[in-house]
Amino acid sequence: MNTLELINRRQRQILVHSFLYYQLNTNIISDHTFDDWSKELADLMSEHPDIAKRSVYYEGFKTFDGSSGYDLPYHLPQIQSIGYKLLKYHNKERI
């Protein structure tokens, strides 16, 4: 996986899990995992700003420092759709 693909992946993961946490008041990953992903993304974007500018959700992550997902654009329909699917799968697996 190249740097741009990893940035896109981490942004998507952080958006989806921020949606689950802040909108649905639930989580399916640990806070530790979320914090690790956030730190990794913030570092990648800082170390590779030109590549980060080409990422899918760059506008929403321009000022992201890894401390919180509260003010990210997790309201996007594609993010919410993924979130609902993951939650459904997660709940099904627990039965």
Side-chain angles (χ1 to χ4, degrees):
M1 181 176 306
N2 67 38
T3 302
L4 180 58
E5 291 170 336
L6 182 55
I7 289 171
N8 283 326
R9 179 182 191 171
R10 289 292 180 248
Q11 287 176 346
R12 210 170 14 261
Q13 288 171 317
I14 289 167
L15 287 170
V16 167
H17 291 286
S18 292
F19 166 69
L20 292 174
Y21 185 79
Y22 292 109
Q23 288 296 126
L24 302 183
N25 198 32
T26 191
N27 63 326
I28 59 175
I29 62 168
S30 69
D31 288 344
H32 180 75
T33 297
F34 185 88
D35 291 345
D36 285 350
W37 287 349
S38 295
K39 181 179 180 342
E40 180 182 20
L41 177 60
D43 289 348
L44 283 167
M45 292 182 68
S46 175
E47 293 166 9
H48 306 281
D50 291 336
I51 294 172
K53 287 177 184 173
R54 298 190 340 246
S55 65
V56 175
Y57 300 105
Y58 174 73
E59 287 302 314
F61 282 86
K62 279 195 292 194
T63 60
F64 183 71
D65 64 2
S67 63
S68 174
Y70 178 76
D71 60 350
L72 295 174
Y74 52 77
H75 62 279
L76 298 168
Q78 67 269 28
I79 296 302
Q80 292 184 2
S81 177
I82 294 168
Y84 283 122
K85 287 177 186 173
L86 275 175
L87 188 57
K88 182 178 178 180
Y89 178 78
H90 176 74
N91 288 339
K92 187 177 182 179
E93 288 294 309
R94 296 179 72 181
I95 296 176

